[in-house]
Amino acid sequence: MVGKENGTTASGATAATGMAGTDDTAETARTAETAGAAGAAGTAPATASDGSPATATRAWATRLVVVGIVLSAVNLRPAITSLGALLEEVRDGLGMSGSVAGLLTSVPPLCFAVFGVTAPRLARRFGPAAVVCAGMVAVTAGLLIRPYAGSTAGFLAGSALALMGIAVSNVLMPVIVKRWFPDRVGSMTGLYSMALAAGTSVAAAVTVPLTDALGGSWQTGLAVWAALAAVAVLPWVPLVRDRGTAPAPEAEARARAERQQPALRITRSRTAWALAVFFGLQATAAYITMGWMAQIFRDAGVSAGTAGLLLAVTMVMGVPLAFVIPRVATRLPHQGPIVIALGVCGLAGYAGLYLAPAGGAWAWAVLLGISNCAFPLALTMVGMRARTGAGVAQLSAFAQSTGYLISIPGPLLVGVLYQHSGGWGLPIALMVGLMIPQMAVGVLAGRDRIVEEEAAAAA
């Protein structure tokens, strides 16, 4: 049944449309959802169910959306993990101190917080497909500019441009999934989470050997990832070009119904706040890992190439788990047990980094990779905790923007502690200290709640 895929908070079309009814009503709602998504995402909507050209257009557009989601997801992290693998070379090349390098690792969550909050407004004006397309263009340009800027300030500016494109795409991925695939939220979230993890791990694994193969220049090793981002622009272009097509009657009716509903005051929902804090703390752990874990291993005597592979192992753990965890999460009434299991793996991995960073390096990489799968779990809960597409957009923007604001100090503080203590004891203690509240708020965010209902009750 559709309800199993969307969790116990709402069944099938109810979760997507905020309406209850019979199986026929649910089918109508799904048709309207697809048509509404088509209009919002910039493609020709269709209402026919036979072999008409409208149905063929809808099927073609749906396939294109799937390809666009996967390619975009692959490009959401290489800008970060490729830098983590070459951080020492970049520091030496630009003359960065440890504190400035810590600031550099804090730029991703800062950009995600600042630019991510603008995504829903941009999507309403231009359509989600147009915004994601522009985001991938920004990623391509930023990755080309930053290695050759010639200064730390220029490097930061190029990074910010790329991260701006990543930020809006981060927020709009759950929105696009909810609109185009309301009855497959878990499986589609798992698909793009798996693609995201694959891009993250591949960038971490091959950046160092690729740099060596291209002549040893860290500039070339970072710039080469712009080619992958350019490919991700292509599937969105036809969707942007067709966005002017008139919406179907069902989509118009649904849009009118949503406009008549009271405005959602997301800050009145305790679940929204719990989800935002959980998102922020898991992002803190993830960006500390992506920015500093390779350096921890290198300082323990591990070679640069092996350290990059260890980081890749951490990231690649998310490939299978990012597909499995969302599907399991949508079938549970409470996602707290998954939160606890991931947190325990993180604590074990940090303990290993402190006690024997080189001796058990591969085990610690695996454990931290499992722990980092809190990210696809958080994305899944965003789709489950809101009833309507508009609610998902607002919750996604709030949780991600607030969460990334929370995560900004973490990587910077790790750099400062490392610079002034001369070792990794204090930074690892900080990571352990942040994992405990992450588990606590994750349990709260995993409760069977709907943010629209909580906000209405609070009002």
Side-chain angles (χ1 to χ4, degrees):
M1 291 290 292
V2 170
K4 291 182 180 180
E5 191 61 53
N6 276 327
T8 60
T9 57
S11 64
T14 303
T17 67
M19 298 164 51
T22 62
D23 290 341
D24 290 338
T25 304
E27 180 61 34
T28 302
R30 282 194 296 272
T31 303
E33 185 69 53
T34 304
T43 186
T47 60
S49 58
D50 53 15
S52 66
T55 300
T57 299
R58 181 177 61 188
W60 169 82
T62 301
R63 296 188 194 100
L64 204 58
V65 169
V66 173
V67 173
I69 287 173
V70 171
L71 288 178
S72 297
V74 168
N75 283 279
L76 293 181
R77 293 299 179 269
I80 302 166
T81 50
S82 61
L83 175 60
L86 294 174
L87 184 58
E88 185 171 311
E89 287 76 10
V90 174
R91 286 176 57 188
D92 293 341
L94 298 177
M96 292 183 187
S97 66
S99 298
V100 174
L103 175 63
L104 183 60
T105 57
S106 293
V107 168
L110 174 62
C111 290
F112 293 166
V114 171
F115 298 114
V117 73
T118 67
R121 182 177 300 177
L122 292 172
R124 285 194 299 270
R125 181 171 182 180
F126 302 106
V131 177
V132 173
C133 183
M136 290 297 105
V137 172
V139 173
T140 304
L143 292 179
L144 280 174
I145 291 171
R146 72 174 184 177
Y148 304 107
S151 66
T152 299
F155 191 93
L156 288 171
S159 296
L161 178 60
L163 294 167
M164 176 179 66
I166 295 173
V168 294
S169 301
N170 271 336
V171 171
L172 293 179
M173 284 294 137
V175 178
I176 291 174
V177 167
K178 185 78 169 182
R179 289 182 175 180
W180 279 88
F181 311 98
D183 54 344
R184 288 182 284 163
V185 170
S187 59
M188 288 303 300
T189 300
L191 177 63
Y192 81 76
S193 297
M194 184 172 64
L196 187 152
T200 305
S201 58
V202 168
V206 308
T207 294
V208 171
L210 188 62
T211 301
D212 293 339
L214 294 174
S217 169
W218 62 264
Q219 288 96 335
T220 305
L222 293 181
V224 71
W225 295 104
L228 184 62
V231 175
V233 175
L234 302 178
W236 297 108
V237 173
L239 300 174
V240 173
R241 188 170 58 242
D242 292 339
R243 70 178 299 273
T245 306
E250 292 89 344
E252 291 180 338
R254 180 176 174 274
R256 283 195 301 270
E258 289 196 1
R259 284 196 296 269
Q260 291 170 359
Q261 294 177 354
L264 173 60
R265 298 186 179 275
I266 196 75
T267 55
R268 292 181 175 177
S269 167
R270 293 181 179 180
T271 298
W273 279 106
L275 188 54
V277 176
F278 175 67
F279 198 99
L281 291 176
Q282 68 80 27
T284 301
Y287 288 109
I288 289 174
T289 299
M290 285 187 282
W292 289 107
M293 196 179 81
Q295 191 65 50
I296 293 175
F297 286 129
R298 292 179 71 168
D299 287 352
V302 177
S303 67
T306 302
L309 286 175
L310 288 166
L311 179 58
V313 167
T314 299
M315 300 299 110
V316 82
M317 291 303 300
V319 175
L321 292 179
F323 188 73
V324 172
I325 288 176
R327 295 174 65 88
V328 174
T330 54
R331 287 165 169 78
L332 294 178
H334 194 307
Q335 289 74 49
I338 304 178
V339 172
I340 297 297
L342 298 180
V344 169
C345 289
L347 293 175
Y350 292 142
L353 284 181
Y354 179 78
L355 297 173
W362 297 100
W364 318 142
V366 169
L367 286 170
L368 290 174
I370 296 173
S371 179
N372 279 348
C373 287
F375 175 72
L377 176 61
L379 292 179
T380 305
M381 289 194 288
V382 166
M384 296 177 66
R385 297 286 90 91
R387 192 180 302 282
T388 66
V392 172
Q394 198 166 344
L395 179 58
S396 179
F398 174 74
Q400 294 200 44
S401 296
T402 304
Y404 284 127
L405 279 175
I406 293 171
S407 71
I408 290 170
L412 175 60
L413 188 55
V414 166
V416 172
L417 291 175
Y418 172 59
Q419 177 86 6
H420 292 282
S421 68
W424 290 105
L426 287 178
I428 292 174
L430 172 66
M431 300 176 206
V432 171
L434 293 175
M435 184 60 68
I436 305 301
Q438 176 182 324
M439 296 164 67
V441 294
V443 170
L444 294 177
R447 297 176 302 170
D448 188 6
R449 300 289 190 274
I450 296 295
V451 294
E452 289 95 339
E453 295 175 357
E454 286 189 339

